[in-house]
Amino acid sequence: MAERADRWSTIPVRRRVLGVVRTLTALDRLHDVFAVLADDFRVEARFTVAAGSEFEADLQDHLDAARMRSLPWRDATKDHVDLAISPSSNGALHELDVPVLTLPHGAGYHKLRPTDSGVARGISGLSPEQLLHGGRVVPEVLALSHENQLALLRDSCPEAAERAIVVGDPCYARLRASLPMREHYRAELGGRRTVLISSTWGPHSLFARHPQLPAEFAAMFPDSQVVLVLHPNVWSRHGTWQLGQWTRRARRAGLVVVPPQRGWRAALVAADVVVADHGSLALYAAALGKPLLSAGFGDTEVAPGTPIAELGARARRVRSGDLVRQVDGATPVPGHEDLEARAFLPPLNAVSRLRAVLYDRLGLPEPAFPAAPEPVTPFTPRPWLD
């Protein structure tokens, strides 16, 4: 590989890695991935927007706001970068003129592939429609978060199985590393008991089925801090202003709406009780041992046999009736330690495996300092500009 430093460089960069951003969810996951490359002056990052998603609104604005240097898609070639990392198997990844590493943008591969009319039978992220182009496997590396996904891949797209490497989940590793700081995260949210409501996107999500639930909780728990976390796709599809309109009454009653720029991790660590659907945050919460209630669980969107499907079978569902009693009586999911083991690698393993794969593909020796997950950034609510 060519050395990347030139006459105008201050740092003698040797390799350049490209983060492929198709949605806000992908950008969120790239923060966890690029954390394992931090503090290495040999490696520089660039980012590019992969057009074509229904949820691509304002992506370039988010990159610009974060001061992340970007490249046009047409310039994502070997002349400029050495390795592309995409937290999505969708899009025209076959057009990239560099090796591509794909990985999940959530807690593993556990949902059926969405289509315009519903869902397909294939598992989202592992289907031939996403991994093959012209009969050729597109990613050079398929990074999986757990060994049990190998069987799913072999069933779904056997041609790609030999490219798979189990690296773990860097997001879960950071959540685990953040637990000792839980009281600090709670203090940033006001120091009270924290009730977190989480919704994925789409018509089968909690927010679609129970849009009044955040306002009801804010009124029912005046002595608690009620926090709403919405999937980034909800923000991309409907926009910040509109979500502000839909949550105005709830926010005036004390609800905190977490913006899509990474604050949800700290809010989850701080949470005393979580009410969630079938999104990744529910699985993260269950694995962390959080008291959990399930509301709006989209069974028809979940792949059978996956940890998230098992969560749906184990978690206590919200019923009609006394919501206060149900929230106050929430407990961790039965057997959550076993569920954690089925879904995630130990945190140190996850970070060290991912770093090893990245440096192997970059043709560089790993840094001398150890690979370790770093705690997430605290989240401090800010006033909403109505």
Side-chain angles (χ1 to χ4, degrees), residues 2-341:
E3 303 299 296
R4 290 300 172 189
D6 57 27
R7 166 68 179 83
W8 311 107
S9 299
T10 298
I11 301 299
V13 173
R14 299 185 60 189
R15 302 287 187 270
R16 191 171 292 133
V17 181
L18 181 72
V20 179
V21 182
R22 182 174 167 83
T23 63
L24 269 180
T25 317
L27 178 58
D28 179 74
R29 181 49 53 105
L30 284 173
H31 287 290
D32 295 319
V33 175
F34 277 89
V36 307
L37 299 172
D39 299 304
D40 188 344
F41 296 101
R42 300 170 299 170
V43 181
E44 186 176 43
R46 290 288 187 270
F47 298 86
T48 192
V49 173
S53 171
E54 293 287 342
F55 306 105
E56 68 179 58
D58 303 323
L59 279 178
Q60 188 61 54
D61 291 340
H62 282 277
L63 290 176
D64 294 341
R67 303 296 191 267
M68 304 167 90
R69 294 291 300 278
S70 59
L71 287 175
W73 183 260
R74 65 180 180 275
D75 290 339
T77 68
K78 293 177 181 176
D79 290 336
H80 300 283
V81 295
D82 301 291
L83 175 69
I85 301 176
S86 175
S88 172
S89 301
N90 291 319
L93 297 178
H94 61 277
E95 295 178 357
L96 296 177
D97 185 34
V98 292
V100 176
L101 180 149
T102 61
L103 70 164
H105 57 251
Y109 296 106
H110 56 251
K111 287 188 177 180
L112 300 175
R113 185 167 62 87
T115 66
D116 290 340
S117 58
V119 294
R121 293 184 60 185
I123 296 176
S124 182
L126 301 180
S127 69
E129 292 83 358
Q130 296 168 299
L131 297 177
L132 304 180
H133 180 77
R136 180 181 68 87
V137 179
V138 175
E140 181 175 293
V141 178
L142 280 83
L144 307 180
S145 58
H146 198 278
E147 286 86 352
N148 58 28
Q149 292 169 16
L150 285 170
L152 297 176
L153 178 60
R154 292 188 183 108
D155 289 341
S156 180
C157 187
E159 303 94 323
E162 63 180 16
R163 306 278 184 93
I165 300 177
V166 178
V167 302
D169 186 326
C171 178
Y172 186 69
R174 296 188 67 196
L175 290 170
R176 271 286 170 193
S178 303
L179 291 179
M181 296 178 61
R182 178 171 180 266
E183 290 305 316
H184 177 53
Y185 298 139
R186 288 182 84 243
E188 291 295 312
L189 286 169
R192 299 180 292 167
R193 183 181 76 152
T194 300
V195 179
L196 188 150
I197 302 172
S198 171
S199 176
T200 188
W201 64 278
H204 300 290
S205 67
L206 183 155
F207 197 54
R209 294 179 173 181
H210 309 289
Q212 297 298 331
L213 194 63
E216 293 173 2
F217 271 38
M220 285 188 293
F221 300 102
D223 297 326
S224 299
Q225 180 59 70
V226 181
V227 177
L228 175 63
V229 174
L230 297 172
H231 192 284
N233 285 358
V234 182
W235 294 84
S236 295
R237 190 64 174 177
H238 299 290
T240 300
W241 183 88
Q242 184 62 70
L243 290 175
Q245 292 291 298
W246 285 335
T247 60
R248 177 176 288 187
R249 180 168 56 89
R251 288 185 289 106
R252 291 178 176 174
L255 176 73
V256 168
V257 182
V258 180
Q261 297 93 351
R262 295 184 286 165
W264 68 268
R265 292 169 179 78
L268 174 57
V269 175
D272 295 281
V273 183
V274 176
V275 180
D277 50 22
H278 56 295
S280 290
L281 191 146
L283 187 56
Y284 287 135
L288 291 173
K290 298 285 183 179
L292 178 70
L293 292 174
S294 179
F297 195 92
D299 298 273
T300 59
E301 296 185 343
V302 171
T306 58
I308 199 76
E310 183 65 25
L311 172 62
R314 296 186 189 187
R316 184 184 302 176
R317 306 277 177 120
V318 172
R319 307 176 307 276
S320 59
D322 191 341
L323 290 177
V324 173
R325 179 177 295 181
Q326 292 179 62
V327 172
D328 290 344
T331 59
V333 174
H336 65 87
E337 298 93 343
D338 170 66
L339 192 63
E340 178 189 24

